[in-house]
């Protein structure tokens, strides 16, 4: 099973490798998503008036930076805020804050604040990627751990779920028995967290957004620039809608519009990202000749593996002894959505699989056997997903969306949302209130915005960037060909566009995009000559 990083929500193994780099489509949106696309609400800025003061002021306390594999190059501390702002006198939470100085000797006065993905990812571990991408070139960079994540207190990690994921590589991805084990692990985590006094209902996007508003005030910052990716775009758009004061600009990368994200929506993204990879192969003569009709090949392999799963031994990419892995149709699809096999290798990997060699996919599946236990906050994932993404859509809605996206695939595969398997069952156990009325709301704003998408993104399809931009009246939309999820660390062009946007938000330099094309795909010898 993939670990969540939505975006979504469900993980793709978080052992991100340091590198300079790091879906939803179709003319008709998944019908299940249409029901709430038109929901609109006035923004606080539209209502007029000054910035309201919080009932319970937050406080920033300087302190040491957390110990990380790569030391944090800046100063740190923590923000103390109420756990639940609706309950006066309740518990507080502490969120680690890192302030990385600008590389320039003469930095601009307005810093960049970063909102990471997940929900549940460790924002502090993203700092090396942000520095490598030049996000702090001309401005200080502020990174704060989301409530409930690794460098916050309390930490909503679920070692029980991590251990399940490690075992799940040797199980059928979408078998009911696998779902029961996931639910059992989730229940154990919930019981432990609630017994310790955690209010799971307080770990949501509204409270996350209020945390960032409190941070700006606590640091005495008049204006700043917001940059979020994946779930961080859901958060950034919510923040812009609810707390527009002091926002100079907003950059959103791999976009999750809060008004549309749902389980059925995930199938639309998966279709867009996967079929765009196939179309790019068809546009390259060598790839098109060597790997004709990839969509049919994928359908055949999904059906074959779902009927007769493969059980093989494979060594995890991080090293160590080979582990037993099971490849069924659901596992294959989720490896593709998670970009667990690099996009340039996907045609070759599918062709090899069709000819009896599952090695690339098996090794990618084996990566899940070695999670860093406690690194990913599954508790935050479920508190957000179960309150904001799952309600209002039935299992039948999800299955219909899957059938529209990939006709001919087995229902056992299509019944599970990519990256969020068995979520209806998990949410019944997690048991948090429905928050869709306050969260499934369109952000309408005139704050300058940069909207970045990668055409190969199968988690948050590229068309959703343009969709979100429709109500951001001063926005620039950029699609980077051949890039998957989280665009900026993977694309030097996107890095230049972001830098120019931060310098001039209403007129970024996007000229580098015109000359971009997907990289050549891997071409392997035909089986008969190999």
């Amino acid at each position: 099973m993939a670990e969540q990083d939505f975006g979504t929500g469900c993980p793709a193994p978080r052992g991100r490798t340091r590198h300079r780099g790091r879906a939803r489509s179709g003319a008709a949106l998944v019908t299940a998503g249409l029901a709430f696309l038109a929901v609109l609400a006035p923004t606080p800025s539209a209502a007029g008036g000054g910035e309201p003061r919080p009932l319970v002021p937050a406080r920033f306390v300087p302190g040491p930076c957390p110990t990380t594999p790569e030391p944090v190059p800046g100063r740190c501390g923590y923000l103390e805020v109420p756990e639940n702002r609706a309950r006066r006198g309740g518990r507080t939470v502490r969120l680690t804050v890192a302030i990385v100085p600008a590389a320039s000797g003469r930095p601009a006065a307005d810093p960049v604040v970063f909102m990471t993905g997940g929900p549940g990812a460790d924002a502090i571990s993203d700092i090396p990627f942000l520095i490598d991408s030049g996000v702090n070139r001309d401005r200080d960079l502020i990174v704060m751990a989301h409530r409930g994540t690794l460098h916050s207190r309390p930490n909503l990690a679920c070692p029980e779920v991590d251990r399940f994921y490690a075992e799940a590589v040797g199980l059928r991805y979408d078998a009911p028995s696998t779902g029961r084990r996931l639910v059992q692990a989730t229940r154990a985590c919930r019981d432990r967290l609630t017994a310790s006094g955690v209010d799971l209902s307080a770990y949501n996007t509204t409270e996350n957004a209020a945390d960032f508003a409190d941070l700006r005030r606590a640091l005495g910052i008049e204006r700043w620039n917001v940059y979020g990716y994946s779930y961080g775009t859901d958060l950034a758009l919510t923040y812009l809608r609810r707390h527009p004061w002091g926002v100079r600009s907003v950059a959103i990368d791999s976009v999750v519009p809060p008004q549309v994200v749902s389980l059925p929506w995930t199938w639309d993204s998966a279709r867009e990202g996967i079929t765009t990879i196939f179309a790019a192969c068809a546009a390259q003569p060598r790839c098109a000749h060597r790997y004709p009709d990839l969509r049919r090949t994928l359908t055949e392999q999904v059906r074959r593996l779902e009927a007769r799963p493969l059980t093989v031994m494979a060594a995890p990419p991080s090293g160590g002894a080979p582990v037993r892995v099971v490849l069924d149709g659901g596992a294959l699809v989720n490896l593709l959505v998670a970009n667990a096999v690099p996009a340039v290798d996907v045609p070759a990997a599918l062709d090899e699989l069709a000819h009896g060699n599952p090695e690339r996919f098996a090794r990618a599946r084996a990566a899940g056997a070695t999670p860093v236990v406690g690194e990913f906050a599954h508790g935050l994932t479920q508190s957000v997903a179960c309150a904001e993404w799952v309600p209002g859509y039935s299992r039948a809605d999800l299955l219909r969306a899957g059938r529209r996206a990939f006709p001919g695939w087995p229902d056992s595969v299509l019944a599970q949302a990519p990256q969020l398997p068995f979520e209806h069952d998990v949410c019944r156990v997690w048991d948090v209130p429905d928050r869709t009325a306050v969260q499934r709301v369109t952000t309408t704003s005139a704050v300058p915005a940069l909207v970045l998408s990668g055409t190969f993104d199968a988690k948050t399809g590229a068309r959703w960037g343009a969709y979100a931009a429709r109500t951001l009246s001063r926005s620039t939309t950029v699609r980077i060909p051949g890039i998957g999820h989280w665009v900026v660390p993977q694309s030097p062009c996107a890095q230049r566009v972001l830098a120019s946007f931060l310098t001039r938000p209403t007129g970024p330099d996007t000229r580098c995009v015109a000359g971009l094309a997907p990289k050549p795909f891997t071409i392997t010898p035909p089986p008969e000559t190999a």
Side-chain angles (χ1 to χ4, degrees):
M1 284 195 182
E3 183 184 285
Q4 186 167 330
D5 179 4
F6 215 24
T8 173
C10 229
R14 283 270 309 168
R16 295 174 181 159
T17 311
R18 284 295 302 278
H19 55 70
R20 196 110 168 104
R22 242 278 279 178
R24 312 183 205 281
S25 95
L29 168 64
V30 174
T31 299
L34 285 172
F36 50 79
L37 293 186
V39 178
L40 296 172
T43 64
S45 57
E51 179 177 7
R53 308 304 297 178
L55 295 175
V56 181
R59 66 186 187 114
F60 176 76
V61 180
C65 291
T67 301
T68 55
E70 297 184 45
V72 176
R75 58 191 177 93
C76 298
Y78 65 83
L79 184 75
E80 186 173 66
V81 295
E83 181 179 51
N84 189 330
R85 289 175 171 82
R87 297 179 182 174
R88 299 291 297 272
R91 289 166 35 123
T92 60
V93 299
R94 292 184 172 186
L95 315 175
T96 292
V97 178
I99 303 173
V100 180
S104 169
R106 301 181 64 183
D110 43 274
V112 178
V113 63
F114 173 68
M115 299 178 179
T116 194
D122 170 30
I124 304 301
S125 72
D126 289 332
I127 290 174
F129 297 97
L130 299 169
I131 293 174
D132 284 354
S133 301
V135 178
N136 70 321
R137 188 185 73 176
D138 299 314
R139 288 168 170 77
D140 289 352
L141 168 66
I142 301 172
V143 178
M144 181 169 71
H146 295 180
R147 56 175 48 214
T149 59
L150 177 63
H151 293 292
S152 70
R153 294 294 176 269
N155 177 8
L156 272 59
C158 290
E160 304 89 343
V161 175
D162 288 325
R163 288 191 287 270
F164 160 78
Y165 280 127
E167 297 169 358
V169 302
L171 305 174
R172 290 199 60 159
Y173 182 90
D174 48 32
S177 57
T178 302
R180 289 191 291 271
R181 293 175 72 161
L182 174 58
V183 169
Q184 182 180 24
T186 302
R187 180 183 290 111
C189 180
R190 187 192 196 283
D191 290 348
R192 177 177 51 78
L193 291 174
T194 55
S196 72
V198 173
D199 178 2
L200 294 177
S201 69
Y203 294 81
N204 58 63
T205 306
T206 300
E207 294 283 5
N208 280 342
D211 292 341
F212 280 91
D214 279 346
L215 177 64
R216 185 180 66 82
R217 286 187 292 262
L219 294 179
I221 296 171
E222 182 179 354
R223 291 201 313 167
W224 64 9
N225 305 276
V226 176
Y227 169 48
Y229 95 94
S230 194
Y231 167 70
T233 69
D234 185 344
L235 175 56
L237 290 168
T238 301
Y239 174 80
L240 180 61
R241 175 171 59 87
R242 299 182 68 94
H243 307 277
W245 303 277
V247 180
R248 175 178 177 264
S249 71
V250 175
I252 49 177
D253 178 337
S254 306
V255 181
V256 182
Q259 71 271 32
V260 298
V261 60
S262 68
L263 296 186
W265 176 82
T266 62
W267 277 120
D268 189 65
S269 276
R271 176 179 59 184
E272 180 176 3
I274 291 170
T275 57
T276 302
I277 292 173
F278 293 170
C281 174
Q284 295 180 13
R286 292 187 67 223
C287 192
H289 176 73
R290 177 66 183 84
Y291 309 116
D293 204 352
L294 284 168
R295 180 164 183 135
R296 183 180 67 180
T297 300
L298 175 59
T299 295
E300 290 173 349
Q301 295 313 302
V302 169
R303 294 176 65 87
R304 179 177 70 88
L305 291 177
E306 194 66 3
R308 295 181 298 280
L310 287 177
T311 301
V312 298
M313 300 298 291
S318 60
V323 297
R324 176 181 179 271
V325 302
V326 172
L327 281 176
D328 61 0
L332 174 60
V333 171
N334 277 270
L335 291 170
L336 290 172
V337 172
N339 198 217
V341 173
V344 294
D345 294 335
V346 163
L350 285 172
D351 182 75
E352 290 167 348
L353 179 65
H355 289 89
N357 177 9
E359 181 179 357
R360 293 184 202 254
F361 288 112
R363 282 178 58 82
R365 180 90 158 123
T370 57
V372 180
V373 175
E375 181 183 56
F376 194 89
H378 299 283
L380 178 60
T381 301
Q382 296 308 332
S383 284
V384 170
C386 295
E388 301 171 15
W389 300 348
V390 173
Y393 296 90
S394 67
R395 298 170 196 265
D397 293 329
L398 176 60
L399 181 58
R400 280 193 292 269
R403 288 171 174 169
R404 276 190 295 273
F406 294 102
W409 285 14
D411 281 356
S412 55
V413 172
L414 301 175
Q416 305 304 330
Q419 303 288 283
L420 286 166
F422 305 103
E423 197 65 12
H424 285 99
D425 298 323
V426 165
C427 289
R428 190 169 56 250
V429 168
W430 201 254
D431 190 26
V432 289
D434 180 342
R435 295 188 51 80
T436 54
V438 297
Q439 186 57 28
R440 285 181 183 160
V441 180
T442 298
T443 297
T444 301
S445 176
V447 170
L450 175 65
V451 182
L452 292 163
S453 300
T455 61
F456 286 179
D457 188 351
K459 291 184 182 181
T460 60
R463 80 184 188 96
W464 293 107
Y467 176 84
R470 296 193 318 181
T471 55
L472 304 174
S473 61
R474 300 169 74 195
S475 60
T476 301
T477 301
V478 173
R479 292 163 62 104
I480 303 294
I483 297 294
H485 201 60
W486 198 7
V487 176
V488 165
Q490 300 181 70
S491 169
C493 174
Q495 293 163 20
R496 293 195 293 274
V497 171
L498 177 60
S500 71
F501 171 75
L502 292 172
T503 299
R504 193 172 65 171
T506 57
D509 183 352
T510 63
R511 288 175 294 178
C512 63
V513 179
L516 297 178
K519 294 179 180 178
F521 288 92
T522 300
I523 306 297
T524 57
E528 61 272 18
T529 61

